[in-house]
Amino acid sequence: MPGSLIYTGERQVDTLRMEMIRFDAENLEEELLTTQTLETVRKEGMVTWLNVVGLHETDKMRAIGDEFEIHNLALEDILNVNQRPTFDEYDNQFFVATKMFRAVNEVIISEQFSMIVGKGFIVTFQEKEGDIFDGVRSRLRNTKGRIRTRNSDYLAFALLDVIVDHYMAIIEEYGDEINDQEVQLLENTKKEMLKELNLSKKEVNYLRKFARPLRDTIINFNKSDNPLIDKKTRPFLKDLNDHMTHVTETIEVYRETINDNLNTYHTHMTNKLNDVLKLLTIFSVVFIPLTFVAGIYGMNFENMPELHYQYGYYIVWAVMITLALGMIIYFKRKRWL
Amino acid sequence: MPGSLIYTGERQVDTLRMEMIRFDAENLEEELLTTQTLETVRKEGMVTWLNVVGLHETDKMRAIGDEFEIHNLALEDILNVNQRPTFDEYDNQFFVATKMFRAVNEVIISEQFSMIVGKGFIVTFQEKEGDIFDGVRSRLRNTKGRIRTRNSDYLAFALLDVIVDHYMAIIEEYGDEINDQEVQLLENTKKEMLKELNLSKKEVNYLRKFARPLRDTIINFNKSDNPLIDKKTRPFLKDLNDHMTHVTETIEVYRETINDNLNTYHTHMTNKLNDVLKLLTIFSVVFIPLTFVAGIYGMNFENMPELHYQYGYYIVWAVMITLALGMIIYFKRKRWL
Amino acid sequence: MPGSLIYTGERQVDTLRMEMIRFDAENLEEELLTTQTLETVRKEGMVTWLNVVGLHETDKMRAIGDEFEIHNLALEDILNVNQRPTFDEYDNQFFVATKMFRAVNEVIISEQFSMIVGKGFIVTFQEKEGDIFDGVRSRLRNTKGRIRTRNSDYLAFALLDVIVDHYMAIIEEYGDEINDQEVQLLENTKKEMLKELNLSKKEVNYLRKFARPLRDTIINFNKSDNPLIDKKTRPFLKDLNDHMTHVTETIEVYRETINDNLNTYHTHMTNKLNDVLKLLTIFSVVFIPLTFVAGIYGMNFENMPELHYQYGYYIVWAVMITLALGMIIYFKRKRWL
Amino acid sequence: MPGSLIYTGERQVDTLRMEMIRFDAENLEEELLTTQTLETVRKEGMVTWLNVVGLHETDKMRAIGDEFEIHNLALEDILNVNQRPTFDEYDNQFFVATKMFRAVNEVIISEQFSMIVGKGFIVTFQEKEGDIFDGVRSRLRNTKGRIRTRNSDYLAFALLDVIVDHYMAIIEEYGDEINDQEVQLLENTKKEMLKELNLSKKEVNYLRKFARPLRDTIINFNKSDNPLIDKKTRPFLKDLNDHMTHVTETIEVYRETINDNLNTYHTHMTNKLNDVLKLLTIFSVVFIPLTFVAGIYGMNFENMPELHYQYGYYIVWAVMITLALGMIIYFKRKRWL
Amino acid sequence: MPGSLIYTGERQVDTLRMEMIRFDAENLEEELLTTQTLETVRKEGMVTWLNVVGLHETDKMRAIGDEFEIHNLALEDILNVNQRPTFDEYDNQFFVATKMFRAVNEVIISEQFSMIVGKGFIVTFQEKEGDIFDGVRSRLRNTKGRIRTRNSDYLAFALLDVIVDHYMAIIEEYGDEINDQEVQLLENTKKEMLKELNLSKKEVNYLRKFARPLRDTIINFNKSDNPLIDKKTRPFLKDLNDHMTHVTETIEVYRETINDNLNTYHTHMTNKLNDVLKLLTIFSVVFIPLTFVAGIYGMNFENMPELHYQYGYYIVWAVMITLALGMIIYFKRKRWL
C-alpha cells in the first residue's frame, strides 16, 4: 500500500546503526549518531555521509526521513529489499537503489543498497554488517585529495564505482570458472559436469538480473541534468558508465560461453554414446554370420557330406576366423572402427 | 461497426450496479446510484468515484456516458472485453483499459477493467462482482491521508497500483511453482512432469500477453502531459512504472526458467532412455559370444575331438563364464557400465 | 519502367465498373458511372465515393486518374497487385494500398485494395466482384449519423476499419484451428497432424506477411499531419491503430503457439518411437538368455550329465520361465516397462 | 592507404570506355569520349550522363575525377570493388555505390556500380561490358517524356530503380526455386536435395549481404536534403524506397522458407530412417521367439516327450506360425507397423 | 580506485620510449625524448606526434600527463589494458582507446592502444615494440601531401584507419579459413574438423568482442562536434565509419557461416553414423531368418521328413540363399541400401 513503511526483508542486525562521517577539505569528524543526536547531523559548509546499517526499525527510519526531508516514496523503496535498481529524482535530491555484492570466503553475499543524495549530504542504507566501502572511508580519512574537496555528488559516484567494481570482480571469478570448464570439456567430458555447468548458468543469470537494471540506473544518472551533479563529476560518471557497460557485456559473453559449453557437453556425451553403440553393434554383427555357420552344421540332415569330412570341423573354424577377420578389416578400412 | 455500443463479453451480473464514493478532505459520502439519481453524481469541490459493475445494459451505459461526456470510442472500448490494455486521451479526460487478475481459492479470475478520469471524477467499469479495490476503499473511508486530499489522478494511480500489485502476486505464485519444478527435475525427472511444465508455460504466456501492453499503457500514462495529472502525482507514476517493469522482467525471467526446465526435462528423459538402451545393448553383447560357443558345440561333425573329452562340457562352461566376466570387467573399465 | 501503367494481376472481372455514392448530411445519390459520365462525379459540398471494380482496363484507369488528378506513381501502384501495403502523401491527396481478405464459404479470398483520398472525394480500387464494405454502404444509406456528416477522411477510416476487422476475424478463425490442434496433440498425437500443423504455419505466415506492413501503413496514417485529416477523426485513427496492433500481436502469439505445437508433435512422435524401441529391445533381451540356455543343451558333448536326468528337460523349462519372469519384474521395478 | 587510387578488382575490359549521353528536352547527343575530348563533356543547360566502363586505368580515372571535381575519397571508393553500398554527400555532389546484379543465361553476373551526381551531370562507373540500363537509354533516346525534362537527380533515381528491379527479379527467381523445393519436399524427400537446399541458402544469403546495405543507402538518399534533389523527384525516391523494402522483406521471407525447408528435410530424413529402423526391429523381434522355440527342440535331453510325438514337428510349425501372426497382428493394432 | 595510476598489464618492454615526430607542411623533425627533454615537445605552428611505447613506468606516464594536461581519468584508462574501446571528450582534448591487432608470422598479436588528441599534438600509447603505423610514418616523412598540411585530427583519423584496416585484414584471413572449412565439409567431413571449427568460432568471437565497441567508438568520433575536428576531415571520418561497419558486418557474416559449418558438421556426422547403423541393422536382419531355418533343422524331432530327403540339405541352402537375395533386392528397391 503506498504510504506505509514496511521492511520487506529479514532482520539482519540487532539495532539500526547510524555512522556519520562529516568532512570538508580541512576537517573530518566521525560519530555514531542516535535518534537524539540525529538533528545535529548537518553542518554548513561540510559534506555529511550518514551510513545506516539495518533497515528494520521503522521509527528510526522515519526520523531519518524527516531529518533529511526524504520523499515518502523513496523511503518506501529503501525499505523494500526487492526494489529494482533505480535512479529517481526528487526536489533537491536524487535517489539510487541497487543490489550490491561482495565475496566473503568464496561465498557471495548480496544485500540491498540505497542512497539519498542532497546538497551537502548523502545518506546510504544497507541491510547487513560489513560492506565494501572501507576503501572510500580510508581515502576520506587519510588523504586530502579530490574526494575531500568535492561535494556529495562525487561521493555518490565513488560509492557506486566500488559497487560496479565488485560486480566486475565477481563476474570475472565466474569467468575463470567458466573458462576452466571449457578446457576440461575439451580434454575429457565427464557426466558429472552437467551440474556444474547448470550452476554456472544460474549464477551468471542471477548476476545479470541485477546488472541490467543497474546499467539503466547508471545511464539515467549520467543523463540527469540535476543541478546537484557538478560539471567536474561528469567525466567520472561517463567512466562509471563505461565500466558498467563492460560488466554487462562481459556477462553476455559468459552467457554465450556457457551455452557453448553446454552444447559441447551434449555433443560429447552423444558422441560418446554413439561410439559405444556403434562398437557394440559392430561386435554383434561380426558374430552373426559365425553363429549362422554353427547353426548350419547343427542341422540334423541325414545327407550332409561336410559332417563326415575328416577335417570338416577344423575347416569350419578356419572359415569362421577368416570371416571375422575379413569383417573387422573391412570395418577398419571404412573407418567404422 | 464504429458507433454502436455492443458488450462483447458474457453477462456476469444480474443488474448493472453503480457504486458512488464522493469525498474531499473532510467528508465522504457513499451511495448506490440509479439511472434517476445519476445526474446528482458530481458535486463541486469533491472527487467522485463511480464504480460500475456489469457492462451488459447498454442503455444505462449510454446514460453514464452522457452524464460524464465520455467519448463514444471510449464507451465502445469499455464494452469490448477483448480491448487491449490502452491509455487514450480525450478532451479533458483520459481513458485507461486493462485486464485485471485476482486469485480466489487458487483460481485465477480475470476480467476487463476500464476507467475514465476527468477533473473531479473517475468512473471505473468492471464485469464481475467482487474486486481487488477494498484496500483503496478503506483507505478512503478510514484515513484522512494523502488519498483524500488529492484529485482523481491520484485515485487513478492508486487503482492501477493495486492492479499491478496483483500481477506481481500472481507471477510470484507461478514463480514458486516453477522453482519447485526446477528442484524436482534435478532430483528425479518423471515422465508426468511434462504436462505440468507445459501448463506453467501456458499460464506465464497468458499473463505476459496482458502484461506487455499494460506496461506500454503505464509508460504512456507516465509520458502524458495531460493537465489532469498533478505534478505531485508524478513520482508515484514513475514508481508504478518501475513496478510494472519489474513485473514484465520477472515474467521474462520465468519464461527463460521454464524453457530451461523443459530442456532439462528432455535432456534427462533422453539420458534415461539412452542409459537403458546402452545397458540392454551391453547385456545382449555379453551373450552373443556365449551363444556362439554353444552353437559351435551343437554342430554335428563326426570328428570333433572336444566332444569326447571327459570334462569338455565343464571346460566350455568355464570358458563361457570367463568370457562373460572379462567382457563385464572391460565395459566397467571403459565406464560403459 | 516508371511511367507506364501495367496491371500486374490476372483479369478478374469482365468490364471495369465504377460505382459512385455521393452524399452529404441530407442527400445520398448512387450511380454507375461510365467514362462519359465520369466528369460529373464530383459535386461541391458533397462527398463522393467512387468504387472501381476491376483494374485491367488501362484506358479507363487513366481517365479516372486524370479526373481526380491522381499522381502517376499512385496510379502505377494501384495497378500493381504485388504492391506492398503503403501510405503515401501527394499534394492535396493521400494514397493507401493494402491486401484485403474475406472468407467466403471457408475459403479465404484475397485481393489488392487501394484508395485515393482527396478533399471531398475518395476513390477505391479493388480487383474482384464482391467486397466487405456492404456494412459501410448501408450505414451511408440508412443512417444520418456520423459517417454522413464527416468528410472523406472519416470514410477512409471506416473502410480501413472494416479491412482490419476482417484481418482479425481471419486470424481468430486460424486461432481456433490452432487451439484445436493443441488440444488434439495433448490427447493423441497422430502422424497425419504434421501436414495440418505445417499448413497452419503457412497460413499464419501468409497473413503476417501483409499484416506487418499494413500496421506500418496505419501508423503512418496516424502520424501524418495531412490537412485532409480532421481533428475529430484522430481518436478513430488511434483506435484503428490499436486494433491493428492487436492483430499483429495476435498473429505473433499464434506463431509461437504453432511452433510450440510443432515441438510438441515432434516430442510426442520421438517419445512414441522411443517407447516402441525400448519395448522391443526389452523383449529381445528377455529371450537372449533363454536362447543361450537352449543352445547349451543343444551341445553334443558326450559327458553332459544334465541330459540324462529324468526331469532335466522340465527343470530347464522351469529355469527359463523363472529367468524370464525375473527379468520382467526387474524391468518393471526399474520403470523401464 | 588513404589518398592512393588502386583498383581492387580484376581487369574486366581491355580499355576503359567513356560513353556520353547529353540531353535536354529538345536535343540528345551521344559520343564516345577520349581523354582529349573529356573536357568538352559538359554543356550549359543540358544534362550529361557519362558512363565509364572498366576501372583499371587509374590515369584516366584521375582525369575524370579532375574534370568533374570528384572528391578523392569518392574516387577511391569507386575503384574499390569491395566497397559497401553507400550514399555519401560532398559539396555540390553526392555519391552512390552499390553492387548490381543481372542474369545472363541463368548465370548471375555481379559487378560494382558507382555514380557521382552533380548539377547537370551524372557519372556512372561499372566494371564489365554490358549492363541493365538499355531501358533507360532508350527512354532517353525515344521519348521526350519526364526523363528528358528533369535533371540529373531523376536520372540517378531511374538508374537505381533499374538496379533495384533486378534485385527483385533475381530474388523472385530464387523464390520460384525455393517454392519448388518446398513442394518436392512434401511429395518425396530425396537425400540429394540437401545440396540444393544449401545452395539456395548460400545464394539468398549472398544477395542479402548486398541488399541490406543498399536499403540503407536508399534510405539515406531519401532522407538527404541535398539541394540537388528536386522536390518533384521526392515521390519517386519514396517509391524506390518502398521497392527496396519489398526486396529486403522478400529476402527475409525466403530465408525463413529455406530454413523451414531444411527443417522439413531433416525431419523427413529422420522419420524415414526411424521408420526403417522400427520395421527392421519389429522384423527381428518376430523371429526371436521362433528361434527360441527351435532352440528348445534342438536340445539333447534324453527325456523330451514332445520329440517322440508323431506330429510334434508339425505342431511346432503351427505354434511358430501362430506366434508370428499373433505378433504381427498385435503390432498392427498398436499402429507400430 | 579512481585517482591512482596502475598499469594493469604485464610489462612488455624494458624502458618506456618516447618517439616524437614534429611536422608542418615544410619541415619534419624526429627525436627520441627523455623526461628531461619532454617539455620541449610542442612547437607553435607545428603538429607533434608523441608515440609512447611501454606503459609500466608510472612516473614517466604522469610526467607526460602533466606536460599535455591529460585528464586523470584518461591517464588511468591509458594504463588499463582491459579498457573497453571508447571515445571520450575533455576540455580541448579528446581521447580514443582501442585494442589493436597485427599478424606477425601467422600469429595474431594484440595490444592496447590509446591516443590523446589536442590542438597541434597527438600522444599515442602502445604496450609493445613494433606496430602497424610505419605506413603513416613514411607518408609523413616522404610526401608533402595531405597528411603534412592537416592538423592532429587528420593524423588521428590516419592512425585509426590503419587499425581498422588491420581488423579487416585479420577477419579476411579468418574468412579464408572458414570458407576452406566449408568446402572441406562438403567434400569429406572428418571427425577431427570439430576442433578446427570450434577454434575458428573462438577466434571470430574474440575479434568481435573488440570490434563492436570499436565501432561505437568510431560512431561517437563521427558524431562529435568537437572544434578540434576540421570540416575537411569529416568525409574521411565517414569513410572510416563505413569501413568499420563493413568489418562488423563481415564478422557477423562469418559467425553465421561458422554456425552453418558446425551444423553441417553435426548433420554429416549424424548421417554417417546413421548410415552405418542402418547398414549393420540390415545385415543382421538378413541373417535372422537364415539362422532360424538352421535352427529348425537342428531340432531333434523323430518325425521330420525333410531330414531324410536325399537333397534336403542342398534344398535348405537354396532356400536360404534365395531368402537372403530376396531381402537384399527388396531393401535395394526400397532404397534402404
Side-chain angles (χ1 to χ4, degrees), chain C residues 88 202 297 299 308 310, chain D residues 182 238 300 302-303 306:
Chain C
D88 290 336
K202 244 192 148 45
Y297 295 103
M299 292 194 295
H308 308 293
Q310 170 90 31
Chain D
E182 193 173 15
K238 169 139 190 357
N300 298 318
E302 260 172 25
N303 178 13
E306 297 98 317

Side-chain angles (χ1 to χ4, degrees), chain C residues 27-147:
Chain C
N27 310 294
L28 181 126
E29 302 160 9
E30 294 196 51
E31 193 182 330
L32 270 186
L33 295 186
T34 63
T35 327
Q36 282 71 42
T37 56
L38 185 59
E39 55 184 18
T40 69
V41 69
R42 286 196 267 176
K43 201 180 266 183
E44 187 62 32
M46 295 184 81
V47 176
T48 305
W49 171 19
L50 183 67
N51 183 35
V52 180
V53 180
L55 309 175
H56 62 287
E57 291 177 68
T58 327
D59 288 352
K60 291 187 187 169
M61 292 300 295
R62 196 175 291 280
I64 297 166
D66 290 347
E67 174 61 31
F68 290 97
E69 289 161 13
I70 301 174
H71 194 284
N72 232 20
L73 269 176
L75 259 191
E76 287 167 34
D77 289 348
I78 289 164
L79 287 173
N80 178 8
V81 295
N82 299 318
Q83 175 61 31
R84 245 178 117 249
T86 188
F87 173 82
D88 290 336
E89 293 182 79
Y90 299 100
D91 301 340
N92 310 318
Q93 301 191 343
F94 60 81
F95 168 68
V96 178
T98 180
K99 213 77 174 175
M100 81 183 170
F101 293 91
R102 66 184 195 273
V104 177
N105 303 327
E106 312 246 327
V107 178
I108 309 280
I109 292 173
S110 75
E111 63 183 299
Q112 188 68 16
F113 170 83
S114 331
M115 66 180 168
I116 289 285
V117 182
K119 190 82 198 157
F121 72 89
I122 182 165
V123 194
T124 57
F125 300 87
Q126 55 184 81
E127 291 181 82
K128 299 177 187 172
E129 290 290 343
D131 60 30
I132 56 186
F133 301 130
D134 285 339
V136 176
R137 287 192 191 95
S138 67
R139 268 194 288 151
L140 278 173
R141 287 177 194 133
N142 304 333
T143 75
K144 294 199 165 181
R146 188 157 48 204
I147 199 165

Side-chain angles (χ1 to χ4, degrees), chain B residues 1 3 73 77 84 86 88 191 202 266 273 279 287 294 297-300 307-308 310 313-314 316, chain C residues 139 146 161 182 235-236 238-239 242 246 249 267 274-275 288 292 299-306 336:
Chain B
M1 223 166 295
L73 268 175
D77 289 347
R84 244 179 118 248
T86 189
D88 290 336
K191 217 174 171 178
K202 243 190 149 44
H266 286 302
L273 177 73
L279 201 68
F287 273 98
Y297 295 104
M299 292 193 296
N300 297 319
L307 298 181
H308 309 293
Q310 170 90 30
Y313 176 55
Y314 304 104
V316 161
Chain C
R139 268 194 288 151
R146 188 157 48 204
D161 195 46
E182 193 173 15
F236 295 92
K238 168 139 191 358
D239 203 58
D242 279 1
H246 193 180
E249 279 178 359
T267 306
N274 284 341
D275 283 356
I288 279 172
F292 167 68
M299 292 194 295
N300 298 318
F301 286 97
E302 260 172 23
N303 178 15
M304 285 176 72
E306 296 98 317
W336 296 357

Side-chain angles (χ1 to χ4, degrees), chain D residues 74-172:
Chain D
L75 258 191
E76 287 167 35
D77 288 348
I78 288 164
L79 287 173
N80 177 8
V81 296
N82 298 319
Q83 174 62 31
R84 243 179 118 247
T86 189
F87 173 83
D88 290 336
E89 294 182 78
Y90 297 100
D91 301 339
N92 310 317
Q93 301 192 343
F94 59 82
F95 168 67
V96 178
T98 181
K99 212 78 174 175
M100 84 183 167
F101 292 92
R102 67 184 195 273
V104 177
N105 303 326
E106 311 246 327
V107 178
I108 309 281
I109 292 174
S110 76
E111 64 183 299
Q112 188 68 15
F113 171 83
S114 330
M115 66 181 169
I116 288 285
V117 181
K119 190 83 197 158
F121 71 89
I122 181 165
V123 196
T124 57
F125 300 88
Q126 56 184 79
E127 290 182 84
K128 299 178 187 172
E129 290 290 344
D131 61 30
I132 56 185
F133 301 129
D134 286 338
V136 177
R137 286 189 192 97
S138 67
R139 269 195 285 152
L140 279 173
R141 287 176 194 134
N142 304 333
T143 75
K144 296 198 164 182
R146 188 156 48 204
I147 199 166
R148 287 279 291 276
T149 60
R150 298 272 178 92
N151 209 305
S152 53
D153 59 331
Y154 186 83
L155 184 54
F157 150 74
L159 295 173
L160 280 176
D161 195 47
V162 173
I163 289 170
V164 170
D165 278 357
H166 277 74
Y167 271 83
M168 196 65 219
I170 285 168
I171 183 62
E172 273 175 357

Side-chain angles (χ1 to χ4, degrees), chain E residues 30-156:
Chain E
E30 294 196 50
E31 194 181 330
L32 270 187
L33 295 186
T34 62
T35 327
Q36 283 70 41
T37 56
L38 186 58
E39 54 184 18
T40 68
V41 68
R42 286 197 266 179
K43 199 179 268 184
E44 186 63 31
M46 294 184 82
V47 176
T48 304
W49 172 18
L50 182 68
N51 183 35
V52 180
V53 180
L55 310 175
H56 60 288
E57 290 176 69
T58 327
D59 289 350
K60 293 189 186 168
M61 291 300 294
R62 196 175 292 279
I64 297 166
D66 290 346
E67 174 60 34
F68 290 97
E69 289 160 13
I70 300 174
H71 193 283
N72 231 21
L73 268 177
L75 258 191
E76 287 167 34
D77 288 347
I78 288 164
L79 287 174
N80 177 8
V81 295
N82 298 317
Q83 174 62 32
R84 243 179 118 249
T86 189
F87 173 83
D88 290 337
E89 293 182 79
Y90 297 100
D91 301 340
N92 311 317
Q93 300 193 343
F94 59 82
F95 169 66
V96 178
T98 180
K99 212 79 174 174
M100 83 183 169
F101 292 92
R102 66 184 197 272
V104 177
N105 303 328
E106 311 246 328
V107 178
I108 309 280
I109 293 173
S110 76
E111 65 184 299
Q112 188 68 15
F113 170 84
S114 331
M115 65 181 169
I116 289 285
V117 182
K119 191 82 198 157
F121 72 89
I122 180 164
V123 195
T124 56
F125 300 87
Q126 55 184 79
E127 291 181 82
K128 299 179 186 171
E129 289 290 344
D131 60 30
I132 56 185
F133 301 128
D134 286 337
V136 176
R137 288 191 190 95
S138 66
R139 268 195 286 150
L140 278 173
R141 287 175 194 137
N142 303 334
T143 75
K144 296 198 164 183
R146 188 156 49 204
I147 200 165
R148 288 278 291 275
T149 60
R150 296 273 177 91
N151 209 305
S152 53
D153 60 330
Y154 186 82
L155 185 54

Side-chain angles (χ1 to χ4, degrees), chain D residues 1-115:
Chain D
M1 222 166 296
S4 55
L5 292 184
I6 299 154
Y7 173 51
T8 63
E10 287 172 34
R11 182 175 171 170
Q12 304 277 3
V13 291
D14 281 343
T15 20
L16 182 152
R17 201 172 65 239
M18 294 183 276
E19 308 165 348
M20 186 205 71
I21 301 184
R22 195 164 48 204
F23 61 88
D24 58 16
E26 300 307 317
N27 310 294
L28 182 127
E29 302 160 10
E30 296 195 49
E31 194 182 330
L32 270 185
L33 295 186
T34 63
T35 326
Q36 283 70 41
T37 55
L38 186 58
E39 55 185 18
T40 68
V41 69
R42 287 197 266 178
K43 200 181 268 184
E44 186 63 31
M46 295 184 82
V47 177
T48 304
W49 172 19
L50 183 67
N51 183 35
V52 180
V53 180
L55 309 175
H56 60 289
E57 291 177 69
T58 327
D59 288 350
K60 292 188 187 171
M61 292 300 293
R62 197 176 290 281
I64 297 166
D66 290 347
E67 175 61 32
F68 290 96
E69 288 160 14
I70 300 174
H71 194 284
N72 231 21
L73 269 175
L75 258 191
E76 287 167 35
D77 288 348
I78 288 164
L79 287 173
N80 177 8
V81 296
N82 298 319
Q83 174 62 31
R84 243 179 118 247
T86 189
F87 173 83
D88 290 336
E89 294 182 78
Y90 297 100
D91 301 339
N92 310 317
Q93 301 192 343
F94 59 82
F95 168 67
V96 178
T98 181
K99 212 78 174 175
M100 84 183 167
F101 292 92
R102 67 184 195 273
V104 177
N105 303 326
E106 311 246 327
V107 178
I108 309 281
I109 292 174
S110 76
E111 64 183 299
Q112 188 68 15
F113 171 83
S114 330
M115 66 181 169

